[in-house]
Amino acid sequence: MDAAGHGGEEGPVTVTRCHVTTGFFVLGRCGQAAAASCARCVRPVCAAHAGPGGLCPECAAAQGYGTHDPHEPSWTAGYRRHYYQSSSHAYADATWYASFDEYDRGAFDPGDDYAHGGDWGPDDDTGFVDS
Amino acid sequence: MFWRKQKAAIERFHPLHRALILDRACAVSLRRDDWEPVIQSLARHGAEVRRRRWRLPKRVPGVLVPMLRILAADMPPDGVLSVAADMRGSGVPEKKGPEQHVPTRPPISAMRQWYVVDPWLRMRAELRDGSVVELDVTDRIRNRRYRKNARGKVKLKSKSKTVQIVRVTRRLAKDAVVRPPAAPPPRWIRVRVKRGARMVIRANGKFPGPLEDQAMIDRILHVSTEPFRWTPPGTAARRAR
Ligand SMILES: [Zn+2]
Ligand SMILES: [Zn+2]
């Protein structure tokens, strides 16, 4: 579940990690030991994330295997892409969708610590300002 | 014994599910994974209970359950997710404001106006990047009752107009990596930012309603987007813990 918790594996064997995107606003990687590769996008998937037809949750949703019932745990992953699309549209912000899509397609490697952005200091306390 | 089977089914439901049926409200803080049995209990409602009186408020499956899933997806297992839901509707006396007389001109006369303020959902979640998100949804309904004189007949008329307000606040983790969005949010969303060791981003959205189900969820998510645009995917996600 947690993107931050799987960087420091020790021992001689390199384990292939599940590359499925987790989260909704705060994206991460599953990071469990992979058991297979997605039949469509070939990303490594763990046993829990391998869905119908050997598909990862994203590809399963894209192929119409997704559920429309939010009581189902798998609903969230399917709704996430709809959300990124509809919010990019509402914000007229194509980079917003692109940042999600790039993340999902693995342009960011699991385990990296990204530090770009952030162009002002943390102690720059000016109170609330309209943005 | 009427309704014995359905009564027994309700007895077997999760206590919070029961509260949502019988009180049409609940206020509770649970760790992430303790919400799953609540959702699974709610999932059985339609199959086991059909009596109108014990119907679930439609905003429970329509808005609450999806929002529980969405917030839980960003939480660590030990994160706390708090909910205060009041699904009793806008007809409850304590939500009604004072009546006022409104000046009128013929053919309209004797106009009274009052507002109903119905804050029906509040949620707070501790996320896995160390940020905390709080959201609330309020229906603000303006009611008017007046007489209208049309061709010698006096008719009693009433009108109501609903505005929905979604507020989302996100307090970032200490020293989180931030990237201010290049473009402002849509005009119906207002943003305020407080910079400090823990940056706070507040977004308020106001729109005509009442929206339900997916339309409502998407509005809540669109307001929530602004506080998350400051830490796009691949920037702050792994400052966690
Ligand atoms: Zn795939
Ligand atoms: Zn996995």
Side-chain angles (χ1 to χ4, degrees):
Chain A
M1 281 306 282
D2 200 315
H6 60 79
E9 194 70 20
E10 285 170 9
V13 186
T14 309
V15 181
T16 305
R17 301 274 164 201
C18 174
H19 220 265
V20 165
T21 306
T22 61
F24 197 88
F25 296 109
V26 182
L27 301 183
R29 299 279 179 220
C30 166
Q32 296 294 309
S37 300
C38 172
R40 189 162 171 261
C41 70
V42 305
R43 80 177 80 195
V45 288
C46 69
H49 277 130
L55 296 170
C56 75
E58 281 286 334
C59 293
Q63 302 278 297
Y65 288 109
T67 172
H68 293 286
D69 182 1
H71 298 94
E72 296 284 329
S74 63
W75 172 82
T76 324
Y79 205 73
R80 185 178 54 212
R81 188 165 285 268
H82 156 80
Y83 156 67
Y84 274 88
Q85 274 159 349
S86 75
S87 57
S88 294
H89 184 75
Y91 278 68
D93 181 353
T95 58
W96 173 242
Y97 181 76
S99 65
F100 158 76
D101 195 47
E102 278 165 30
Y103 188 96
D104 188 55
R105 286 188 290 105
F108 300 100
D109 205 31
D112 276 1
D113 192 356
Y114 304 105
H116 55 267
D119 43 8
W120 17 260
D123 46 349
D124 170 20
D125 193 351
T126 56
F128 280 99
V129 290
D130 286 326
S131 174
Chain B
M1 280 290 253
F2 292 116
W3 313 110
R4 198 165 46 123
K5 268 178 115 169
Q6 295 187 40
K7 228 179 229 168
I10 291 174
E11 286 304 311
R12 288 191 303 271
F13 286 156
H14 191 284
L16 287 175
H17 181 179
R18 266 203 311 268
L20 286 167
I21 300 168
L22 303 173
D23 308 335
R24 306 180 81 73
C26 75
V28 70
S29 295
L30 296 177
R31 296 206 308 180
R32 186 194 73 180
D33 294 344
D34 294 334
W35 281 103
E36 194 58 43
V38 182
I39 296 173
Q40 291 316 320
S41 179
L42 290 168
R44 304 203 309 268
H45 190 98
E48 298 188 29
V49 177
R50 270 166 304 273
R51 192 183 183 189
R52 271 179 67 85
R53 218 186 125 179
W54 293 327
R55 199 167 41 166
L56 268 181
K58 64 180 175 184
R59 285 171 169 173
V60 172
V63 180
L64 175 61
V65 170
M67 288 311 301
L68 287 172
R69 283 260 178 252
I70 287 167
L71 292 177
D74 285 335
M75 296 176 62
D78 59 344
V80 173
L81 174 48
S82 308
V83 172
D86 176 352
M87 308 286 186
R88 292 173 302 160
S90 55
V92 181
E94 69 244 43
K95 296 179 182 176
K96 186 181 176 220
E99 290 190 9
Q100 290 158 333
H101 280 279
V102 181
T104 51
R105 279 192 297 184
I108 287 169
S109 64
M111 182 184 283
R112 288 174 301 131
Q113 168 180 299
W114 67 98
Y115 284 94
V116 172
V117 178
D118 182 11
W120 52 273
L121 183 62
R122 261 174 41 217
M123 301 178 87
R124 180 185 186 277
E126 299 170 353
L127 307 188
R128 59 183 176 175
D129 66 349
S131 69
V132 176
V133 67
E134 286 180 58
L135 67 87
D136 56 71
V137 188
T138 301
D139 290 0
R140 195 159 156 275
I141 305 151
R142 190 190 71 186
N143 293 299
R144 284 179 163 178
R145 206 162 270 171
Y146 55 89
R147 286 182 219 280
K148 190 173 180 183
N149 199 327
R151 276 170 281 133
K153 282 187 196 164
V154 177
K155 285 184 178 169
L156 208 56
K157 297 222 168 198
S158 57
K159 275 188 178 165
S160 74
K161 193 175 140 186
T162 301
V163 169
Q164 292 183 296
I165 299 145
V166 173
R167 296 189 307 179
V168 180
T169 303
R170 182 176 175 225
R171 180 184 294 273
L172 301 185
K174 205 166 172 288
D175 302 327
V177 176
V178 171
R179 194 163 70 192
R187 293 168 64 100
W188 59 277
I189 297 174
R190 276 179 50 85
V191 193
R192 315 201 85 197
V193 173
K194 188 178 183 188
R195 292 165 191 200
R198 295 194 67 181
M199 185 167 171
V200 183
I201 306 151
R202 284 183 184 164
N204 290 7
K206 206 165 148 183
F207 45 90
L211 300 178
E212 303 294 344
D213 304 324
Q214 190 179 328
M216 186 73 239
I217 300 164
D218 284 350
R219 286 294 182 139
I220 296 172
L221 296 182
H222 289 167
V223 178
S224 306
T225 296
E226 182 60 23
F228 285 96
R229 280 207 308 162
W230 291 67
T231 58
T235 52
R238 54 207 71 245
R239 302 285 290 216
R241 305 243 166 131

